[in-house]
Amino acid sequence: MDAAPGRPGIEPAGFAPRVVAWQRAHGRHDLPWQRSRDPYRVWVSEIMLQQTRVETVLRYYEPFLQRFPDVRALAGAPLDAVLAQWSGLGYYRRARNLHACAQQVCERHGGEFPRERAELEGLAGIGRSTAAAIAAFCFSRREAILDANVQRVLGRAFALPRPRDAASLRAMWQLAESLLPARHIEAYTQGLMDLGATVCKPAGPDCRACPFAADCPGPADAAEAAPAARASRGAARRTREWVLLWARSDEPDAARVWLQRRDAQGIWPGLWSLPGHDDAAAALRQAAELGEVLDQQAREPVRHALTHVDLLLRPLLVQLRARPRAADEAQHAGWFTVDEALRLGLPAPVRKLLGG
Ligand code: SF4
C-alpha cells in the first residue's frame, strides 16, 4: 500500500480504535434503529437503507414498524400489504425479500433471528455485509461489513483500487476482516457506516472532518470520482413515456378504478398499477373492452424518476359504464374502490394520482 507523498499511510492496527473514537465523538447516535438491539428492527433498517438515503428511510421506518411490529406480524401479512407499506421507497424487490425472509425466520428458526452471520446470510435478501451488520449490532459478533460505502473508505484509506473482480473483492474482504477490533464492534461498524455516509463521500470527501486526515494516502479515486459523478449526473437519461389508463366506473355503492398487477420483472415489479400503454389509442381500446366509454379527459403529465430511466406518465381518465366482470381468475386485474386500491402495493405516482 503506497502512501501519498508526504503522508505516512495508516497503520492498520490503529485503524479500528480511531474509527471507534471518532464514532463516539462525531458519529450518528440518534437514528431510531440505533436505539435497539432487536434484530427485527435492525434488519428492517438495514434493508431500507440499501440504496436509499437516511432522510428518506426516516419517513418510512417507524410507520412500517407500527404496521408490522414484529417478524411474525410481517410473515403473516399478505404480500400486498407489505408492498403497500413500502410504496414510495422504491426497489420493491427488497420488500418482497423482506416478506419472504420473515417467513423463513418463522418457519426455519421459530421466529427468532439467527445470531451467526453465516446463518443470517442464508435468508432471503440478506447478503454478507447486511448479515455481518446484524450480527455485529445485535449479537456483538466480530464480523466485517463491506458495502459500497465501506469499500470506498477502505479503498481510499489503504490506497486500494475499487474492487472490479472477484479476486480484488476477496482481498478487500480480507483487509476488512484483518482490521476488526477485539472490542466495541458496534461502534466500529457504525463508525465505518458513518464515515462512508457523511465524510468520505463519493464525489467529495470531507477529509478535514476525517480521523485519518493526517495520514490517509488520499482519496485516490476522488479525482476520478468527481468528474465521473458529474458525468453520470449530466449523462442523458432515457425517458419512457406511458399513457396510464385511469378507467373509472361509478357503481351504486362507490366509484371504482381498474388496476392491473404488473409482472414480477421490469418496472414496478409485482405492484398494482393503472395499466400503461404506448399511446392513447391503445389505452382507449382497453377502456372499450372494460365498458361503455362515457367521457375521457387527459390529465396533467407526471414525471417520475427511477434509477435508470425517467418515466413520463400521461394519465387518461376515462369514465365508463363497466361491463359486469369480476377480477380475472388469476387475480391479476380488477375493479377496486379507491380505499381498496390504496391498501394495495401501488407505485408512488399512481398512489398520488388516486389520492393517497
Ligand atoms: S475522508 Fe479523506 S482522509 Fe478520510 S478516508 Fe476518505 S479520503 Fe481518506
Side-chain angles (χ1 to χ4, degrees), residues 153 156-157 199-200 205-207 210 212-213 216 218-219:
V153 174
R156 288 172 174 170
V199 176
C200 196
D206 182 6
C207 298
C210 180
F212 303 109
C216 175

Side-chain angles (χ1 to χ4, degrees), residues 165-217:
D165 54 31
S168 54
L169 186 59
R170 221 171 16 251
M172 199 170 260
W173 272 110
Q174 282 170 358
L175 169 68
E177 287 182 331
S178 73
L179 295 170
L180 289 175
R183 298 186 304 140
H184 310 309
I185 186 72
E186 299 89 343
Y188 173 71
T189 305
Q190 186 64 53
L192 277 183
M193 290 179 172
D194 293 350
L195 270 178
T198 66
V199 176
C200 196
K201 292 185 268 193
D206 182 6
C207 298
R208 283 168 309 177
C210 180
F212 303 109
D215 47 2
C216 175

